[in-house]
Amino acid sequence: MVEEDLNQVVGNSNYNGEADPESNTLNQPLVKANRTLSSTPLALVGTKVSHIESLDYEINENDLFKHDWRKRSKAQVLQYVFLKWTLACLVGLFTGLIATLINLAVENIAGYKLLAVGHFLSQERYATGLMVLAGANLGLTLVASVLCVFFAPTAAGPGIPEIKAYLNGVDLPNMFGATTMIVKIIGSIGAVAAGLDLGKEGPLVHIGSCIASLLGQGGTDNHRIKWRWLRYFNNDRDRRDLITCGSAAGVCAAFRSPVGGVLFALEEVATWWRSALLWRTFFSTAVVVVILREFIEICNSGKCGLFGRGGLIMFDVSHVTYTYHVTDIVPVMLIGVIGGILGSLYNHVLHKVLRLYNLINEKGKIHKVLLSLTVSLFTSVCLYGLPFLAKCKPCDPSIDEICPTNGRSGNFKQFHCPKGYYNDLATLLLTTNDDAVRNLFSSNTPNEFSMGSLWIFFVLYCILGLFTFGIATPSGLFLPIILMGAAYGRMLGAAMGSYTSIDQGLYAVLGAAALMAGSMRMTVSLCVIFLELTNNLLLLPITMIVLLIAKTVGDSFNPSIYDIILDLKGLPFLDANPEPWMRNLSVGELGDAKPPVVTLQGVEKVSKIVDVLRNTTHNAFPVLDEAELPQVGLATGATELHGLILRAHLVKVLKKRWFLTEKRRTEEWEVREKFPWDELAEREDNFDDVAITSSEMEMFVDLHPLTNTTPYTVMENMSVAKALVLFRQVGLRHLLIVPKIQSSGLCPVVGILTRQDLRAHNILQAFPQMEKSKGRKAN
């Protein structure tokens, strides 16, 4: 669509002869709209194109809200605060317990599978070993894929882009339901235990958010707890805060990094933040750490089956002491540059792969399952077959660890080698992904892995990382990127040899951090996560350098991987930084490109309300009144803006049949008798089942008590860039445009801006001429 608009602009002789559009002032119209501003709210949620709505983060200050706020006692306020902290604690508690369950299940299932394969390897029954490995992996993948495809499509993928969109103000159907959470848990266990190149870190973030959402609303939609205290959380604002706590708790459960989890929520997923939310988020992550620590103590006593050293922690290198010198800054900077280049390249290729997978997924559910099974089979064959290409290496008699071994874990897998020798590539491939990371991060092992094996591992996981993400299973991006980054970091350390004093294990840590920053573009949270994992503050300076360089290099090529996924799904995410050309377009011009605004009177006829609901899809309508007393500078007989009423409230009025036989304003007690304040927070926009008789059509409805009398408004000459910043930071759903000069006979509302109206892509469709100034630097 944008290319077609550009072609039209090139052939527009009226525009070609004009001056630079960026030299125009906002006092004059910059360009004339070619078409109506498009605002089709459709996006891909799971595998289904769904109708997308925005969330009501704004406080609806109508008469009912004001009355409830005035009558709240101190005890009720304390109940509200106490319940907030209680829910934050429960979010951390349940997230920690479920994370423990997932890790225990993955470690034991994968452990028994690898023990069976090792048994056949020791008997030199290599074909049987491959069949056992491939069969087990196919079965686990089948369970995860079938659950996602047929029961909860929203459980596929990491879920982090959707959480970002939700906290940005986008309502996603079925994204945080009980079914989604259950499928996410079981699917994560199956997919990770199947040895696929994906992690449980992203799914844990989604699981934590699901727990928070379910706790806040008192359970599922069909089985909610009707507890009186929970009515305080029957709104989008408090649910947003809880989901923020859940996302932070999920990261903490994945990395055992409480501060890193809080910073991840702040840096990556949250759009709106305040100090009180910071404290509750930190409290949730602290509870997660306590739960994980307790279960680690239990598992260390041998009560968790085949639970290994990793499990609850992705990798633990806190016992390692790293040293480096000033001369090592150059190779450290090189790691950052390579990480930024590889990260942006990974994002670019993954973008193409996801588009290809979308074409395959459109063919039907069976094709989605078959795609997952194909990737699983390819992964199994590679993991089992490639170690045959590696040469056997003799065991070092000076080491304390058992060598060789065909057990579940260990740094020296025997595979097909004779006694006293080990296969370094099998050590990395025939193990869990967590143990592979731990092996790559191991220190004081400069000769453990050959350069050839590291190259094979790196290329293989680049391929698997690209083709595994996007299949119909729960999948995280953290682990594949860490594996690739650790491999290239260790290769760089081996290539440097005696020219550097940095251990190869530290090179692997820095490589993983660099590639994550180059792909995900996170800095502060990643730095803290790696510091909390390594438990070594000496790594802080070089980790900061690597992350900053990698992010800077990556930003010069393309957006972060999560932004790319948001764009692919069509989710209307509003970025923090407006386009420069938005400063040269006014909101009044956007309003002119939209259909005329639909308004209602303060006391409106039922027939008019029914007609508006049937013939429009708008979610809010300005309510106008005749000015009783002329204000200073306002002509007699002018119309005033009373406020904004939501579509859901109009539907609720019709369902409750709150009609008047005469045109009059109601008393305050009449409204409170019919509408409890917490009931208005429920979304009820299904108008199809409302039957209105012909006699009721002639009655009236007083909209004043239900109208938000303090909506956010902007002057028609405000720039789009400034309006976008206001819309995003406050968390609005609707933004009213008011005229600069009000006079008799003129409507006090020029238009209404929604999320879709402020998206750059939609604006360029209505104003294609702005494309010419898109790439220029604003004055």
Side-chain angles (χ1 to χ4, degrees):
M1 293 297 295
V2 177
E3 285 92 353
E4 295 174 3
D5 295 338
L6 278 170
N7 294 332
Q8 295 175 6
V9 174
V10 172
N12 190 343
S13 58
N14 294 332
Y15 182 75
N16 290 340
E18 292 180 359
D20 183 0
E22 294 215 354
S23 64
N24 292 351
T25 63
L26 289 178
N27 295 327
Q28 300 175 349
L30 181 66
V31 287
K32 187 175 180 179
N34 279 11
R35 61 184 73 177
T36 302
L37 186 62
S38 173
S39 59
T40 305
L42 296 176
L44 189 65
V45 181
T47 56
K48 181 181 178 182
V49 177
S50 303
H51 186 81
I52 297 298
E53 298 288 354
S54 294
L55 295 164
D56 290 316
Y57 288 154
E58 178 188 359
I59 295 178
N60 197 333
E61 292 187 341
N62 52 34
D63 292 347
L64 288 173
F65 172 82
K66 294 175 182 177
H67 173 77
D68 174 74
W69 192 258
R70 288 193 301 265
K71 74 172 188 176
R72 281 191 184 182
S73 63
K74 188 174 181 180
Q76 288 178 316
V77 174
L78 290 176
Q79 286 177 0
Y80 175 59
V81 175
F82 174 76
L83 192 56
K84 276 187 174 183
W85 286 94
T86 302
L87 289 178
C89 177
L90 292 176
V91 167
L93 174 65
F94 287 118
T95 303
L97 291 175
I98 291 177
T100 304
L101 169 66
I102 292 174
N103 281 277
L104 288 175
V106 167
E107 291 286 317
N108 281 278
I109 294 173
Y112 283 112
K113 177 189 68 177
L114 293 173
L115 284 177
V117 173
H119 172 73
F120 292 112
L121 285 173
S122 63
Q123 298 178 355
E124 298 185 359
R125 298 167 61 184
Y126 301 123
T128 307
L130 175 60
M131 292 176 61
V132 170
L133 180 67
N137 290 346
L138 282 174
L140 292 168
T141 305
L142 181 64
V143 172
S145 183
V146 167
L147 286 175
C148 286
V149 170
F150 292 97
F151 295 96
T154 51
I160 294 178
E162 289 81 1
I163 296 171
K164 283 188 65 172
Y166 183 90
L167 297 179
N168 192 255
V170 181
D171 189 17
L172 302 172
N174 305 319
M175 199 64 210
F176 303 107
T179 304
T180 300
M181 184 184 70
I182 294 171
V183 171
K184 199 85 173 186
I185 294 171
I186 301 175
S188 296
I189 294 173
V192 176
L196 295 174
D197 185 22
L198 44 81
K200 53 187 177 290
E201 297 72 37
L204 273 175
V205 177
H206 190 186
I207 291 169
S209 300
C210 290
I211 293 171
S213 178
L214 291 171
L215 286 174
Q217 66 186 22
T220 62
D221 292 334
N222 299 327
H223 304 89
R224 286 191 181 184
I225 299 175
K226 300 295 183 180
W227 193 24
R228 190 169 59 90
W229 281 21
L230 286 176
R231 73 185 191 276
Y232 295 129
F233 293 88
N234 193 17
N235 61 84
D236 293 332
R237 290 171 59 87
D238 287 312
R239 195 172 295 121
R240 171 187 61 184
D241 291 354
L242 280 174
I243 289 177
T244 304
C245 292
S247 64
V251 173
C252 177
F255 296 99
R256 212 186 75 175
S257 173
V259 180
V262 174
L263 292 177
F264 173 84
L266 171 61
E267 181 181 11
E268 183 62 23
V269 297
T271 297
W272 188 82
W273 197 263
R274 68 184 192 279
S275 58
L277 180 59
L278 174 69
W279 282 107
R280 285 199 300 276
T281 305
F282 187 61
F283 179 55
S284 294
T285 58
V287 174
V288 173
V289 171
V290 172
I291 298 297
L292 295 183
R293 184 69 259 173
E294 185 62 30
F295 274 94
I296 288 174
E297 294 296 330
I298 295 175
C299 291
N300 285 339
S301 62
K303 299 179 181 178
C304 299
L306 295 179
F307 185 79
R309 286 186 305 165
L312 294 174
I313 322 168
M314 179 187 290
F315 48 87
D316 185 1
V317 289
S318 57
H319 61 283
V320 179
T321 302
Y322 292 118
T323 58
Y324 55 90
H325 304 288
V326 178
T327 56
D328 297 319
I329 296 299
V330 174
V332 166
M333 295 175 65
L334 181 61
I335 291 176
V337 173
I338 296 176
I341 295 174
L342 290 180
S344 58
L345 180 62
Y346 177 80
N347 292 357
H348 176 75
V349 180
L350 185 59
H351 184 203
K352 305 298 181 185
V353 173
L354 291 177
R355 285 189 175 276
L356 173 64
Y357 278 8
N358 188 48
L359 297 176
I360 299 174
N361 291 335
E362 287 178 353
K363 295 183 178 181
K365 295 181 178 180
I366 299 299
H367 288 80
K368 299 173 189 176
V369 177
L370 291 177
L371 177 62
S372 302
L373 296 179
T374 302
V375 172
S376 176
L377 182 61
F378 175 75
T379 302
S380 300
V381 171
C382 290
L383 296 181
Y384 192 87
L386 289 178
F388 285 100
L389 302 177
K391 295 181 179 179
C392 295
K393 304 185 68 173
C395 294
D396 186 355
S398 62
I399 61 174
D400 297 329
E401 192 171 346
I402 299 175
C403 178
T405 177
N406 269 328
R408 190 197 65 82
S409 60
N411 273 32
F412 306 97
K413 286 290 186 72
Q414 184 175 359
F415 197 62
H416 70 302
C417 297
K419 189 175 181 181
Y421 289 80
Y422 72 96
N423 189 308
D424 58 344
L425 188 54
T427 302
L428 296 175
L429 296 181
L430 279 181
T431 185
T432 62
N433 290 334
D434 290 357
D435 282 330
V437 174
R438 195 171 300 105
N439 293 337
L440 288 170
F441 283 3
S442 60
S443 62
N444 301 320
T445 54
N447 301 316
E448 181 178 345
F449 305 105
S450 64
M451 184 64 77
S453 296
L454 289 174
W455 266 110
I456 294 175
F457 180 87
F458 175 71
V459 173
L460 172 64
Y461 272 85
C462 285
I463 296 173
L464 293 180
L466 291 170
F467 288 98
T468 304
F469 186 81
I471 63 175
T473 61
S475 56
L477 277 170
F478 283 91
L479 195 60
I481 295 176
I482 287 176
L483 284 168
M484 289 184 288
Y488 97 77
R490 196 167 185 101
M491 284 191 295
L492 183 61
M496 294 297 296
S498 60
Y499 294 100
T500 177
S501 61
I502 300 180
D503 187 87
Q504 290 185 18
L506 178 54
Y507 269 106
V509 173
L510 295 178
L515 193 58
M516 288 185 72
S519 176
M520 299 180 178
R521 312 295 157 77
M522 295 185 293
T523 53
V524 179
S525 56
L526 277 183
C527 184
V528 174
I529 286 172
F530 275 90
L531 286 179
E532 289 185 294
L533 287 169
T534 57
N535 196 24
N536 193 339
L537 283 176
L538 293 175
L539 295 181
L540 180 60
I542 55 175
T543 305
M544 292 173 63
I545 293 173
V546 163
L547 292 174
L548 290 172
I549 293 176
K551 183 184 185 305
T552 303
V553 173
D555 283 337
S556 62
F557 291 101
N558 50 31
S560 73
I561 185 60
Y562 292 137
D563 290 338
I564 290 174
I565 296 173
L566 283 169
D567 182 66
L568 280 174
K569 290 179 175 289
L571 297 173
F573 183 85
L574 295 182
D575 195 69
N577 302 310
E579 298 286 346
W581 51 265
M582 288 183 177
R583 292 201 297 112
N584 302 289
L585 191 67
S586 69
V587 293
E589 292 172 276
L590 283 188
D592 293 339
K594 296 187 65 177
V597 63
V598 179
T599 61
L600 298 172
Q601 295 297 316
V603 181
E604 188 58 85
K605 208 170 185 180
V606 174
S607 58
K608 173 68 179 298
I609 297 175
V610 172
D611 181 66
V612 165
L613 292 178
R614 283 178 177 169
N615 298 317
T616 68
T617 58
H618 307 320
N619 286 299
F621 305 92
V623 177
L624 309 182
D625 265 335
E626 294 292 334
E628 298 179 0
L629 295 176
Q631 303 175 8
V632 178
L634 191 63
T636 305
T639 305
E640 69 174 7
L641 172 65
H642 181 74
L644 192 71
I645 189 166
L646 298 178
R647 182 187 190 91
H649 293 174
L650 292 176
V651 173
K652 191 168 289 292
V653 165
L654 296 181
K655 285 188 174 183
K656 284 182 171 287
R657 283 173 163 69
W658 191 54
F659 303 146
L660 304 172
T661 56
E662 57 181 348
K663 190 174 183 180
R664 66 175 179 86
R665 296 190 64 162
T666 55
E667 299 294 334
E668 189 175 322
W669 62 269
E670 295 180 83
V671 188
R672 296 200 308 269
E673 206 173 59
K674 198 75 174 179
F675 297 97
W677 68 269
D678 54 331
E679 190 177 302
L680 292 179
E682 298 178 0
R683 294 196 172 191
E684 193 169 354
D685 54 5
N686 185 13
F687 179 65
D688 298 333
D689 57 348
V690 180
I692 307 296
T693 64
S694 56
S695 59
E696 290 173 334
M697 287 285 194
E698 300 302 318
M699 295 184 180
F700 299 90
V701 175
D702 182 15
L703 301 180
H704 293 95
L706 306 178
T707 301
N708 179 12
T709 56
T710 58
Y712 282 88
T713 61
V714 293
M715 302 292 289
E716 61 181 342
N717 59 337
M718 177 183 283
S719 69
V720 174
K722 195 172 182 180
L724 173 58
V725 172
L726 172 66
F727 194 98
R728 185 183 186 274
Q729 289 185 347
V730 181
L732 300 179
R733 188 179 186 184
H734 306 96
L735 185 61
L736 298 181
I737 309 172
V738 297
K740 189 175 181 180
I741 300 176
Q742 298 184 10
S743 60
S744 178
L746 292 180
C747 181
V749 181
V750 175
I752 300 180
L753 292 181
T754 62
R755 172 176 299 272
Q756 296 285 349
D757 302 327
L758 294 172
R759 297 189 68 198
H761 174 72
N762 293 336
I763 295 175
L764 289 175
Q765 286 188 345
F767 299 90
Q769 296 89 337
M770 298 302 299
E771 182 74 21
K772 285 195 170 184
S773 63
K774 182 179 177 182
R776 302 178 187 175
K777 186 178 179 180
N779 294 333

